[in-house]
Amino acid sequence: MDTTPAVVPEVTGKAQLTLYTSAFCEPCMQTRAVLAEATRLAPRIVVTELDVARHLERAERDGIRSTPTVIVEAADGTEVFRAEGVPTLAQVLAAAATAL
């Protein structure tokens, strides 16, 4: 029996992504698929989806001009990436890595 203690790195950080969407937005559906694949590949990615009509004040505060818009923030709330339109999977993963 192996009694060597396992060394497991502490994983506490999460990459916070906010997806701004609107009803009947075809590119929003495509963006959801990209973000779903990103979260499958990198479980430390957390996505919050907000409909601009329901969250108008926050959308205005965040300077949302079109949907979809994806914002990636570091743990301290600093924006590290913004994509207006459908981002690529590579862009999302790279932005999430930067946020961590």
Side-chain angles (χ1 to χ4, degrees):
M1 178 172 168
D2 184 6
T3 59
T4 307
V7 177
V8 179
E10 186 176 338
V11 177
T12 58
K14 300 281 185 186
Q16 301 292 325
L17 283 69
T18 303
L19 167 60
Y20 284 95
T21 61
S22 55
F24 309 110
C25 169
E26 180 66 33
C28 295
M29 290 185 263
Q30 295 167 354
T31 301
R32 280 187 202 99
V34 170
L35 297 183
E37 180 64 6
T39 59
R40 186 186 73 76
L41 294 171
R44 292 174 63 188
I45 294 175
V46 176
V47 177
T48 301
E49 183 174 337
L50 301 174
D51 183 293
V52 292
R54 293 185 187 156
H55 301 276
L56 188 57
E57 189 173 301
R58 181 162 172 193
E60 287 176 353
R61 184 191 76 215
D62 284 345
I64 303 306
R65 298 178 298 177
S66 63
T67 58
T69 296
V70 177
I71 298 174
V72 180
E73 295 180 340
D76 66 0
T78 303
E79 184 177 316
V80 297
F81 176 79
R82 179 181 291 242
E84 294 179 345
V86 182
T88 66
L89 179 59
Q91 287 175 315
V92 172
L93 294 173
T98 300
L100 295 171

